[in-house]
Amino acid sequence: MPHIPIVHWEAASTLAVVVSSNEPLLFLSDDLRVIAASTSFCRAFDIDPASVTGKRIGELGRGEWATPKLESLLTATATGSASIDAYEIDLNRPDRTTRQLVVNARRLDDGDLDYVRLLLAVTDVTRYTRRSSPERRAGSRQGHPAAGSPT
């Protein structure tokens, strides 16, 4: 009897919700590959929507999403040992102003442990944090439990 690979199909409703969201969202696999990105995410970060599916998060754009700390936190979220709550990151893009982002990520539990999925929401808070000092932003990052600092 030949071995027939089993393909996991994402629910069309899940993909539709993610893609049409007004909030910048990424729907990720456990190895941090993009399953779907919201149109608002692609628009906000100048990424071609046709180029995102199947890429690892660190490959998005010109590589500006290749942040070891973010990837580490997302991996921990995928294993169920963490979740990301209001984690602040600076998105450094070549030839562009650095943007301050707040990210939240959750492991989606649909009961199928073989197919772990993550939902990453991104909020650009640049215009609100430009008035705050770099020391204040750094302090909030270091003191947040998701940042891995001691509590």
Side-chain angles (χ1 to χ4, degrees), residues 70-97:
L70 178 60
E71 288 188 19
S72 174
L73 288 168
L74 286 169
T75 299
T77 302
T79 64
S81 61
S83 62
I84 302 174
D85 294 309
Y87 183 68
E88 295 180 32
I89 63 170
D90 291 335
L91 186 68
N92 299 306
R93 301 181 305 166
D95 305 323
R96 301 208 181 171
T97 304

Side-chain angles (χ1 to χ4, degrees), residues 6-85:
I6 298 172
V7 177
H8 185 78
W9 296 97
E10 303 303 332
S13 58
T14 302
L15 297 175
V17 167
V18 170
V19 170
S20 64
S21 172
N22 288 327
E23 181 76 19
L25 297 177
L26 288 176
F27 185 45
L28 304 168
S29 63
D30 61 345
D31 64 351
L32 309 185
R33 290 195 183 278
V34 178
I35 298 166
S38 66
T39 304
S40 56
F41 178 89
C42 294
R43 186 176 39 248
F45 301 106
D46 299 317
I47 297 173
D48 177 12
S51 73
V52 242
T53 304
K55 285 189 176 178
R56 288 183 48 81
I57 190 168
E59 299 170 338
L60 295 179
R62 295 186 194 167
E64 60 267 20
W65 291 91
T67 307
K69 186 65 174 181
L70 178 60
E71 288 188 19
S72 174
L73 288 168
L74 286 169
T75 299
T77 302
T79 64
S81 61
S83 62
I84 302 174
D85 294 309

